[in-house]
Amino acid sequence: MRILKFGGSSLAKPDRVERVCGIVRRSRDEGPIAVVVSAFGGVTDSLIAAAHAAARRDGTSGSRIDGLEKRHQVAAESLASEVELEELLERITTVFRHVRELVHGASILRETSDRTLDAVASVGETLSAAIVAAALRRRGVEAEDCDARRLIVTEPRVDGARVKEVETRERIRRHFAEPGRLQVVTGFIASTEDEETTTLGRGGSDYTASILGSALRAEAVELWTDVDGVLSADPSIVQDAVPNERLSYDELMELAHFGAKVVHPPSVHPARRESIPLWIKNTFRPDWAGTFVTDVPTASASPVRGVASIGRVTLLRLEGDGMIGVSGIAMRLFGALAREGVSVIMISQASSEHSICFVVSPTDAEVAARSIAEEFAVERRAGLIDDLVIEERQSVVAAIGAGMRERCGVAARLFGVLGRHGINVRAIAQGSSELNISLVVDADDEVKAVNAIHDAFFVPGWSRVEIALAGIGGVGGALLEQFAERAAALERERGLRLHLVAVADSRGAVLNPAGIDPASAVQRLRSTEDREALDTMIEYLECDRGSARVLVDCTASETVPAKYGPALRSGAAVVTANKLPFAGPLDEWHALRDAGPGRLYHETTVGAALPVIRTLQELIATGDRVRRIEGVLSGTLGFLLDQVTAGRAFSEALRIAHERGYTEPDPREDLGGRDVARKLLTLARLLGRELSPEDVDVMPLLPDESWGALLLDEFWARVPEADETMVRLRDSAAAAGKRLVYLAQLGEGEARVGLEMVDRERACARVRGSDNLVAFTTDRYHETPLVVQGPGAGPGLTASGVFADLLRAIDEAEGGGA
Ligand code: ADP
Ligand code: ASP
Ligand code: MG
């Protein structure tokens, strides 16, 4: 016999239940099995929340319960056969009628008793078992649901009630004595001898499976979940967590105890007692072996098999001179805690015996403190023991692995890496079995600590960079395509893994620490209604998980640049194609410049991907003096003037440019010259010129300033009026052997953009089409200027420039040890 348990994550939607049915059918063909199911994913949480809402009378419990009922009806309709459906739906109705009665009671009393909570929570499993059994029958498997309250007997305590082993074992054996239909057993729930419903603690369906397995001396207990087994860390904290092929029971127990929620901690005991192997398998990858757990110690490359953590605990410290050398203090301390039923997560005693630290759940902290104060009242009055020190918002982080026994230097490596990341360790404990080293850190440091320790023991062959992208328009979209194309090669050739953790547009962000596939990121963002705020994305990026972090801004918005400062100050780099922040008021530019020197990359804000900014920065860095900059910086205006020079009417040229998408939706944006002025201002400021936007003298290409106030239609109607002027300008330029160029010029005391007649011989007169050009006249390049020229627009090119900046940011982060 094998026991297969399917968790809520494997049953969250009807199509997942179909998968589960497939796995069950295949397993049944290989030998006898029994199935244990959790409630559908999220149902237990919702039931408990509904009960609390009723007690609070916040008016939401009714709709919460309606929603749950609907969800089960929909599942039944899609999974059960037609002949069974009516009866199943009736059963669902009856169950929810009962839930409403229970919850109504809570609302009258304005509180939820533990009993009520257990009774309400239990219906999730009874319904999922009924629906899964019906789904199996529809697919030709003779199955029936089995209420575990008939099998598992516990003490009266709620939520994590103690199992009465002998009675339970007998009942299970009796129930399974006769071969019959495949049993689909409700996980998590049990009952007392008086038939009062109890539960085995959150996540307790694993325990149900293990209890069944041990009572039936099963060949194996398989826990089917949504990950590839027991990983080296929680994948929502460490993106590169790797699955363990094998673990010992002890290792699994330690990992589970210290927060690896993939297995409910008590579940290991029954299996270990009967030496029943446990498999942790992935419902979504059934052919993957998963993790195999037995009592045979296992060899592995790393002495550490996993890093786990428990967030938000409270650290209590008892200290005082009166404790030194006095025996029995620890016994009295833990006696006082045991009397109140407080469970201690971790203990550490200084060898001076001057202090004992221990960690409890925040909900237990108050009771613990009171009980200890009473226990040591006499010593406190005598000044022998100080008041208990209570530190909230702490986390326990543990490195676990039997291999730590044989290898020295593990602790040194662990503390070394924490030190390098500036993480302060509040308390340390090492079990004498040397199976784990656990330590307490500030809750804010938890994620960083887990990642740092993980990286120290599971060295990947590549380094990861976390990227948050704002803007999925032309440039952002093209960048995502380039990511998708280049990702594999970058990993192969440069050992670099691009990890897109968030994408955002103006309506908010989608955030996934496990990574978002760039190929489907746009689609994913568009189809997500429930967005995160931009601030949440930035907060995520601010947290140092030991990887390089980059905020990429492909928007033209004013809100995203406001986040550069916080991102830069947290040590992230910012790569941006957004021109606004570099050409705004002077004080804003100063704030930006000072926020993260050297970590802000914006090559594409002038001339798209052309190396304009980099060239200027290198000239400055190597001590050259830049005397003059001239630029042809608008592909749109370049195209227009080309067409006019070739004899086309200005109005017609403008219409063509507009139709081909070369202009902004309102072409006056381009004709006004502001975009060119911004680029010139950006270059000026990089040169150290303290210029404000008003300091740039802008001569618009718009023939008449009043046209700025027209409606767009009126504007288009009047454009032909400008044709004549343009012909005249063109002809006089031609007569003088010159060419019309919309030029940006920065010289001593001069910063201006506007239409110029330029000698045909000059570099800037030879630019064609939508090309850009920037000419630097410097001390070194004084006879002929240093010229950067080429296509300076287009989403694909701009994205490639952003990509290049990103790679530069990563190289410099690694080289600079950011
Ligand atoms: P189920 O619904 O199948 O019982 P759970 O949600 O209870 O699944 O447990 C699986 C989840 O546990 C994973 O999705 C993962 O987020 C989390 N988890 C935490 N630590 C680990 C770990 N070390 N290995 C695997 N999963 C872990
Ligand atoms: N449904 C229960 C819970 O959510 C038990 C389980 O999932 O194992 O805690
Ligand atoms: Mg679980």
Side-chain angles (χ1 to χ4, degrees):
M1 167 79 91
R2 283 180 302 146
I3 315 292
L4 277 65
K5 173 257 166 177
F6 295 92
S9 53
S10 304
L11 302 165
K13 295 185 197 144
D15 60 323
R16 298 192 181 182
V17 177
E18 306 256 11
R19 269 177 178 280
V20 166
C21 289
I23 295 169
V24 170
R25 278 174 58 165
R26 256 173 281 136
S27 299
R28 186 203 49 168
D29 292 343
E30 291 161 13
I33 60 169
V35 170
V36 174
V37 290
S38 298
F40 295 155
V43 166
T44 313
D45 283 337
S46 305
L47 285 164
I48 293 173
H52 285 306
R56 280 198 310 274
R57 296 198 192 167
D58 71 2
T60 63
S61 78
S63 59
R64 288 174 196 256
I65 295 171
D66 294 347
L68 281 168
E69 180 167 12
K70 182 87 202 146
R71 181 170 167 196
H72 285 90
Q73 284 164 348
V74 169
E77 280 158 7
S78 94
L79 291 163
S81 69
E82 236 166 83
V83 279
E84 289 195 26
L85 185 59
E86 199 177 326
E87 201 187 323
L88 192 56
L89 288 175
E90 242 167 61
R91 199 166 155 190
I92 294 171
T93 309
T94 312
V95 165
F96 279 98
R97 198 177 303 132
H98 179 53
V99 170
R100 287 191 183 90
E101 280 164 13
L102 288 166
V103 160
H104 181 61
S107 142
I108 291 173
L109 296 172
R110 287 181 186 268
E111 68 172 9
T112 39
S113 69
D114 291 339
R115 271 189 190 175
T116 305
L117 280 179
D118 269 357
V120 170
S122 71
V123 309
E125 267 72 9
T126 54
L127 290 175
S128 69
I131 296 171
V132 171
L136 283 165
R137 286 195 291 276
R138 183 176 174 189
R139 284 151 192 81
V141 180
E142 280 295 302
E144 67 184 3
D145 56 313
C146 163
D147 191 327
R149 285 176 289 195
R150 284 156 45 203
L151 307 181
I152 300 181
V153 191
T154 71
E155 307 280 359
R157 231 195 96 184
V158 282
D159 189 34
R162 259 174 63 107
V163 173
K164 293 189 160 179
E165 287 168 10
V166 179
E167 174 70 19
T168 298
R169 193 181 317 131
E170 269 170 24
R171 287 194 190 192
I172 293 173
R173 286 189 183 156
R174 222 178 302 135
H175 182 79
F176 282 88
E178 299 294 323
R181 301 169 111 194
L182 170 68
Q183 298 295 295
V184 180
V185 183
T186 56
F188 181 53
I189 65 177
S191 77
T192 63
E193 308 248 26
D194 302 335
E195 298 187 3
E196 190 88 55
T197 298
T198 52
T199 57
L200 302 176
R202 296 306 310 275
S205 299
D206 300 335
Y207 196 16
T208 308
S210 176
I211 291 168
L212 282 181
S214 94
L216 298 172
R217 303 233 164 79
E219 281 157 54
V221 172
E222 302 175 3
L223 305 177
W224 289 80
T225 182
D226 62 347
V227 281
D228 278 342
V230 181
L231 310 181
S232 52
D234 183 340
S236 65
I237 297 184
V238 177
Q239 284 103 0
D240 314 318
V242 288
N244 279 290
E245 253 174 68
R246 298 177 70 117
L247 283 178
S248 70
Y249 293 119
D250 288 344
E251 287 169 325
L252 177 60
M253 201 138 68
E254 295 282 319
L255 277 166
H257 175 75
F258 282 104
K261 100 167 213 267
V262 62
V263 174
H264 180 59
S267 320
V268 185
H269 298 285
R272 177 165 61 179
R273 209 171 36 231
E274 302 291 333
S275 297
I276 295 165
L278 290 173
W279 283 98
I280 290 82
K281 305 240 330 159
N282 190 347
T283 302
F284 306 95
R285 226 162 41 122
D287 297 330
W288 176 262
T291 301
F292 182 58
V293 187
T294 59
D295 45 15
V296 184
T298 53
S300 110
S302 167
V304 173
R305 313 306 302 276
V307 187
S309 62
I310 312 175
R312 302 264 165 150
V313 294
T314 302
L315 176 71
L316 304 174
R317 192 167 63 243
L318 187 69
E319 53 192 11
D321 296 338
M323 288 167 57
I324 301 172
V326 179
S327 59
I329 298 262
M331 190 191 77
R332 283 172 58 201
L333 171 65
F334 294 109
L337 295 174
R339 270 200 300 284
E340 297 294 337
V342 172
S343 105
V344 178
I345 299 167
M346 178 190 140
I347 306 162
S348 141
Q349 178 168 28
S351 56
S352 68
E353 296 188 356
H354 176 261
S355 79
I356 302 180
C357 284
F358 57 98
V359 174
V360 299
S361 141
T363 47
D364 286 340
E366 210 184 299
V367 193
R370 201 174 337 110
S371 180
I372 290 167
E374 282 165 18
E375 176 68 38
F376 294 101
V378 176
E379 286 86 349
R380 279 174 62 225
R381 270 198 298 276
L384 294 170
I385 287 183
D386 306 337
D387 284 344
L388 194 68
V389 179
I390 303 177
E391 296 187 49
E392 289 168 346
R393 288 186 48 82
Q394 304 292 307
S395 293
V396 178
V397 176
I400 289 141
M404 301 200 302
R405 256 180 232 139
E406 291 109 46
R407 298 194 209 170
C408 51
V410 172
R413 194 144 127 206
L414 196 149
F415 290 108
V417 74
L418 292 176
R420 276 198 298 285
H421 281 82
I423 297 165
N424 184 22
V425 178
R426 321 294 298 261
I428 304 162
Q430 175 169 30
S432 56
S433 62
E434 287 186 47
L435 205 58
N436 93 60
I437 299 178
S438 40
L439 34 97
V440 180
V441 298
D442 222 71
D444 291 337
D445 284 337
E446 176 184 342
V447 171
K448 190 156 123 183
V450 171
N451 275 281
I453 298 174
H454 190 271
D455 284 355
F457 291 98
F458 299 86
V459 189
W462 33 263
S463 55
R464 179 186 52 217
V465 50
E466 293 184 318
I467 300 164
L469 170 67
I472 53 161
V475 177
L479 182 65
L480 286 167
E481 280 169 22
Q482 293 174 12
F483 280 175
E485 274 165 28
R486 283 290 297 159
L490 278 175
E491 188 167 336
R492 208 174 44 244
E493 292 160 13
R494 299 181 47 160
L496 195 65
R497 192 172 272 193
L498 300 183
H499 205 74
L500 184 67
V501 291
V503 272
D505 63 12
S506 55
R507 292 193 298 127
V510 171
L511 186 73
N512 185 2
I516 298 169
D517 176 12
S520 57
V522 171
Q523 153 69 15
R524 171 121 181 238
L525 182 64
R526 293 208 173 120
S527 62
T528 305
E529 278 309 313
D530 199 10
R531 309 276 183 92
E532 303 283 352
L534 181 67
D535 280 338
T536 312
M537 169 171 120
I538 301 298
E539 273 161 31
Y540 181 83
L541 199 69
E542 280 171 355
C543 173
D544 182 359
R545 281 164 292 271
S547 319
R549 292 164 286 133
V550 188
L551 169 64
V552 181
D553 181 7
C554 292
T555 71
S557 95
E558 286 175 5
T559 34
V560 182
K563 312 296 173 198
Y564 295 177
L568 289 166
R569 278 189 289 276
S570 78
V574 173
V575 170
T576 177
N578 187 343
K579 298 177 198 113
L580 297 182
F582 302 94
L586 203 52
D587 53 343
E588 283 177 20
W589 156 246
H590 285 162
L592 190 58
R593 182 192 59 189
D594 300 339
R599 312 280 300 130
L600 178 61
Y601 300 81
H602 59 106
E603 182 62 83
T604 50
T605 55
V606 180
L610 295 178
V612 175
I613 289 179
R614 196 187 318 177
T615 302
L616 178 58
Q617 284 170 334
E618 284 170 5
L619 288 172
I620 299 169
T622 55
D624 202 353
R625 194 174 65 88
V626 179
R627 299 181 193 168
R628 184 172 177 76
I629 298 178
E630 280 185 0
V632 179
L633 293 170
S634 166
T636 315
L637 298 184
F639 172 84
L640 281 178
L641 294 175
D642 250 15
Q643 295 281 310
V644 169
T645 307
R648 210 185 280 280
F650 174 71
S651 54
E652 201 195 333
L654 186 62
R655 193 165 293 282
I656 295 172
H658 186 68
E659 277 163 13
R660 294 194 189 164
Y662 296 170
T663 68
E664 296 295 320
D666 182 343
R668 286 171 292 185
E669 293 283 322
D670 301 289
L671 300 177
R674 261 199 315 276
D675 184 54
V676 175
R678 278 195 204 109
K679 293 172 183 167
L680 188 69
L681 188 56
T682 303
L683 295 176
R685 286 174 170 179
L686 290 174
L687 254 186
R689 301 277 178 85
E690 298 280 304
L691 297 186
S692 291
E694 312 77 72
D695 299 329
V696 182
D697 186 6
V698 186
M699 188 179 96
L701 196 63
L702 259 190
D704 188 332
E705 263 183 45
S706 67
W707 286 19
L710 299 178
L711 292 174
L712 193 54
D713 283 349
E714 292 169 345
F715 162 75
W716 275 114
R718 293 190 56 183
V719 173
E721 292 174 23
D723 289 350
E724 213 186 296
T725 322
M726 291 308 281
V727 170
R728 223 178 317 116
L729 282 168
R730 181 197 63 198
D731 290 346
S732 52
K738 298 190 176 191
R739 208 183 143 84
L740 286 180
V741 178
Y742 197 82
L743 197 65
Q745 302 177 74
L746 184 77
E748 204 67 53
E750 158 196 63
R752 63 192 164 100
V753 304
L755 198 60
E756 300 279 337
M757 290 187 199
V758 176
D759 271 346
R760 283 179 197 278
E761 308 317 313
R762 300 234 328 255
C764 54
R766 277 180 278 145
V767 181
R768 290 291 177 272
S770 62
D771 276 10
N772 277 198
L773 172 144
V774 180
F776 299 100
T777 308
T778 73
D779 281 357
R780 284 183 206 143
Y781 296 93
H782 59 272
E783 267 163 28
T784 23
L786 171 59
V787 173
V788 181
Q789 180 179 0
L797 277 181
T798 308
S800 72
V802 172
F803 203 168
D805 266 356
L806 178 81
L807 294 177
R808 203 146 68 97
I810 297 164
D811 282 348
E812 288 173 6
E814 287 180 344

